[in-house]
């Protein structure tokens, strides 16, 4: 097969472009670069983790032909898993909190996943979507629990692919890496790889309000305050994927700054992005101001805006949250 022809859907995951965010770079005097994960075939950064988790289970003999992949997910992991399950002949069962956007829920159903909507309850509750998905998987025959929060195949995907791609795209000229975490797979895999290449790369956790990681990094105590309209990021525990990840600092970004950034990305950069990108790029700008001009700061453009059209791109919905695009 020619090198230019991809062998099916799964071979199209990864190898995304690295984009210079021109308006933000020019404003700060830094090179602010975004890894274009929204260009993955399933539309998000989670395609990489989904592929690694499934192929790891195949290699270990845990997932056999006709088997089912079960996961508790805020949406994007489920969408990645559903695509890969279709391409590889597996069934997919997704347990999702009912607070997630209708667009993501509808996409999962269209892709053929069995979708179970559950109330959003804290992790400490046994009926939390993540814990529930583990129990459902254990009760099914020939099924695996993807377990993205604890399964280290997740961060391995980013260590081996996302990080290595960025390193080669920048020829190793990276001064800082900043990203918000959901499972922490992206942040941890990339920061571990970068620190091995060059211990001077500054690795910074971006955090929305309502998450406990910012206070954890600053004070050692997990103390969430406030809340956020962003989906798929923020955490109030240290996941298996975050354990041992290098963290030099944390930056907290509120929703108004997130929305300002999202709309500048749309209007000045031509990039139609999801909410977590506003936190990531907002934190990259704050870091650029801290570090001063002349630095190269890399972050991740996790998913596209179409998944949030009824929310972030709907001024009436934004107004109900006290937010305005400007
Ligand atoms: N942004 C979005 C939109 C996501 O869905 C996720 C994953 N939940 C992330 C960021 C964070 O990625 P990770 O799980 O690798 O920390």
């Amino acid at each position: 097969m020619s090198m230019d022809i991809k062998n099916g859907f799964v071979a199209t995951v990864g190898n995304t472009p690295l984009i210079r965010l021109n308006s933000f770079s020019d404003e700060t005097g830094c090179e602010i670069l975004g890894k274009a994960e929204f260009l993955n075939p399933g539309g998000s950064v989670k395609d990489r983790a989904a592929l690694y988790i499934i192929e790891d289970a195949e290699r270990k003999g845990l997932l056999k032909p006709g088997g089912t992949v079960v996961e508790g997910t805020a949406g994007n992991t489920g969408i990645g898993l559903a695509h890969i399950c279709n391409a590889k002949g597996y069934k997919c069962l997704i347990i999702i909190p009912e607070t997630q956007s209708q667009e993501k829920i509808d996409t999962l159903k269209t892709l053929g996943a069995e979708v179970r909507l559950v109330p959003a309850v804290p992790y400490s509750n046994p009926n939390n979507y993540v814990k529930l998905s583990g129990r459902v998987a254990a009760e099914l025959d020939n099924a695996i629990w993807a377990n993205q929060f604890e399964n280290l195949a997740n961060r391995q995907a980013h260590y081996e692919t996302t990080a290595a791609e960025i390193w080669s795209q920048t020829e190793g000229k990276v001064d800082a890496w900043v990203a918000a975490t959901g499972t922490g797979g992206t942040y941890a895999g990339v920061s571990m790889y970068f620190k091995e290449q060059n211990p001077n790369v500054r690795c910074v956790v971006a955090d929305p309000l309502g998450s406990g990681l910012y206070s954890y990094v600053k004070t050692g105590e997990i103390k969430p305050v406030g809340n956020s309209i962003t989906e798929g990021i923020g955490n109030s525990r240290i996941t298996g994927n975050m354990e041992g990840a290098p963290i030099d600092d944390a930056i907290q970004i509120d929703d108004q700054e997130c929305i300002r950034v999202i709309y500048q990305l749309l209007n000045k950069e031509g990039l139609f992005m999801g909410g977590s990108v506003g936190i990531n790029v907002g934190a990259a700008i704050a870091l650029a101001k801290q570090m001063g001009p002349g630095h190269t700061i890399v972050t991740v453009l996790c998913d596209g805006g179409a998944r949030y059209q009824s929310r972030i791109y709907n001024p009436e919905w934004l107004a109900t949250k006290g937010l305005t695009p400007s």
Side-chain angles (χ1 to χ4, degrees), residues 11-184:
T12 68
V13 174
N15 285 311
T16 54
L18 186 63
I19 303 176
R20 179 179 191 268
L21 303 178
N22 287 331
S23 70
F24 295 109
S25 298
D26 295 346
E27 280 170 24
T28 57
C30 284
E31 293 297 294
I32 298 185
L33 310 178
K35 185 69 168 153
E37 292 304 290
F38 66 95
L39 291 176
N40 273 304
S44 89
V45 66
K46 299 303 307 202
D47 287 2
R48 297 185 193 255
L51 181 59
Y52 263 60
I53 286 170
I54 287 181
E55 295 199 334
D56 178 64
E58 287 175 336
R59 265 195 305 277
K60 290 176 175 158
L62 301 170
L63 185 59
K64 296 174 204 71
T68 305
V69 177
V70 181
E71 184 60 322
T73 156
N76 280 331
T77 303
I79 291 168
L81 288 170
H83 276 290
I84 294 163
C85 284
N86 284 345
K88 286 179 174 274
Y90 301 118
K91 294 190 275 291
C92 186
L93 196 167
I94 299 300
I95 296 172
I96 183 168
E98 57 197 8
T99 48
Q100 300 304 296
S101 79
Q102 194 60 43
E103 288 91 328
K104 284 193 285 195
I105 295 165
D106 291 343
T107 302
L108 282 166
K109 289 182 180 165
T110 303
L111 292 174
E114 182 183 336
V115 179
R116 294 195 194 159
L117 285 174
V118 296
V121 295
Y123 187 72
S124 53
N125 186 316
N127 287 326
N128 170 273
Y129 71 108
V130 174
K131 289 182 176 162
L132 196 60
S133 67
R135 289 204 299 280
V136 168
E139 284 162 11
L140 279 178
D141 280 341
N142 192 12
I144 62 151
W145 180 28
N147 194 13
Q148 57 170 335
F149 290 90
E150 310 305 318
N151 187 339
L152 300 185
N154 171 359
R155 78 179 182 197
Q156 193 66 20
H158 297 287
Y159 178 91
E160 287 180 13
T161 72
T162 320
E165 290 167 26
I166 296 169
W167 203 255
S168 108
Q169 285 166 319
T170 56
E171 297 169 334
K173 290 190 199 80
V174 177
D175 295 305
W177 156 248
V178 58
T181 80
T183 63

Side-chain angles (χ1 to χ4, degrees), residues 46 76 181-186 231-233 276 302-303 308:
K46 299 303 307 202
N76 280 331
T181 80
T183 63
T186 313
E231 295 177 31
I233 55 169
S276 66
C302 312
D303 68 358
Y308 310 92

